[in-house]
Amino acid sequence: MTFANQTWIIFRRQMRLALRNPAWVIIGLAQPVLYLCLFGPLLEPLAAQIGTDNAYTFFVPGLLVQLALFGALFAGFGLISEWREGVIEAERVTPASRTALLLGRVGRDLALLTVQGLVLVALGFAFGLTGSIPGMIFGLILTVLLGGACSASSNALALTTKSEDALAPILNSISLPVLLLSGILLPISTQTGAPQWLVTLSDFMPIKYIVSGIRSTFTGDFWTTTVLWGVVWTLVLFIAGLWVGTRTFRKDNA
């Protein structure tokens, strides 16, 4: 059996499990939708101050990144449950590639994230989102790749800790600072009155450049350094996430 077939079998099984209990998919989408409904209207009067003509063209890309972070980053909890039930041990005795065991699960998270992202963008149009359709598609691709990095890293961390009690505080300590310092909801800048040390610290957040890049693509500005840095950091995190996840999966299952 080829590597692609092995990955497909794992992906298909994971998708069946997800579709049998779609509650978590809906819950994962609920948070950004609530932000869109409750926080989005508050940004409309502030559109000029945050440097945009359309508040939702600025806000929806940030919600997409938030969806990737808080959705895929917590994917490891399902892996811990499978490990505790003996599913991982059962898969280990098969001749399947250890990398395929990881990529099948990451593929499921990417598929779910794509559907959730499309729903979020569609709701954005209902609220008044305007912009470049090709740019939105490209921005969604970047979001999915970021989600792949988060999913692979989360699975690696789950196999390392093997405990929800240990995994939860680690992920929260990562996701909350990233959410605040990356300008996902509001830009971190001196114009907003933020302390200079906070602005400087945000410059070391790769997610900040990804968010800015996706916002530029939504307006149709592809050929800018902002988009370039967004693409570069997305690819770097995606490759690094897959490398860490694959290495951990192989080591743990050796």
Side-chain angles (χ1 to χ4, degrees):
M1 186 179 296
T2 65
F3 175 78
N5 287 336
Q6 295 170 2
T7 304
W8 169 252
I9 290 173
I10 299 298
F11 168 79
R12 186 174 58 186
R13 177 183 180 277
Q14 293 295 321
M15 282 299 297
R16 284 202 302 264
L17 293 176
L19 294 176
R20 286 175 186 171
N21 186 19
W24 290 111
V25 180
I26 298 173
I27 292 173
L29 182 61
Q31 187 178 35
V33 168
L34 287 175
Y35 273 106
L36 181 66
C37 297
L38 302 178
F39 194 60
L42 299 178
L43 285 181
E44 292 188 60
L46 304 176
Q49 297 182 31
I50 59 180
T52 182
D53 296 327
N54 186 292
Y56 293 98
T57 305
F58 173 90
F59 193 45
V60 171
L63 293 180
L64 284 175
V65 175
Q66 181 190 17
L67 186 64
L69 288 175
F70 285 86
L73 195 60
F74 288 83
F77 285 97
L79 185 63
I80 293 177
S81 177
E82 287 186 308
W83 172 80
R84 185 174 293 111
E85 293 171 359
V87 175
I88 303 300
E89 186 66 27
E91 291 177 343
R92 286 176 58 185
V93 300
T94 68
S97 166
R98 303 317 188 216
T99 304
L101 299 181
L102 170 68
L103 293 184
R105 290 174 166 83
V106 173
R108 172 209 58 194
D109 296 330
L110 298 188
L112 296 178
L113 180 58
T114 300
V115 174
Q116 291 173 324
L118 290 173
V119 172
L120 183 59
V121 172
L123 288 175
F125 276 110
F127 277 84
L129 171 68
T130 60
S132 167
I133 298 299
M136 294 178 187
I137 296 174
F138 188 71
L140 183 59
I141 293 174
L142 294 181
T143 300
V144 171
L145 291 177
L146 176 61
C150 294
S151 173
S153 302
S154 178
N155 280 292
L157 193 57
L159 275 182
T160 302
T161 61
K162 295 184 174 66
S163 169
E164 293 91 347
D165 293 335
L167 183 62
I170 294 175
L171 293 181
N172 283 326
S173 65
I174 295 173
S175 59
L176 291 180
V178 169
L179 176 66
L180 296 175
L181 293 176
S182 299
I184 290 177
L185 301 180
L186 286 174
I188 299 293
S189 64
T190 53
Q191 285 73 23
T192 62
Q196 185 57 44
W197 67 267
L198 200 60
V199 177
T200 303
L201 184 61
S202 71
D203 291 336
F204 292 92
M205 286 287 177
I207 307 298
K208 173 183 178 179
Y209 301 96
I210 298 175
V211 175
S212 298
I214 295 176
R215 282 174 176 149
S216 292
T217 62
F218 265 54
T219 62
D221 296 330
F222 288 95
W223 311 110
T224 63
T225 54
T226 301
V227 175
L228 176 61
W229 278 113
V231 172
V232 168
W233 275 115
T234 300
L235 294 177
V236 168
L237 293 180
F238 180 71
I239 294 172
L242 289 184
W243 181 81
V244 171
T246 300
R247 185 174 182 272
T248 304
F249 234 87
R250 288 177 175 173
K251 181 179 178 180
D252 187 80
N253 291 281

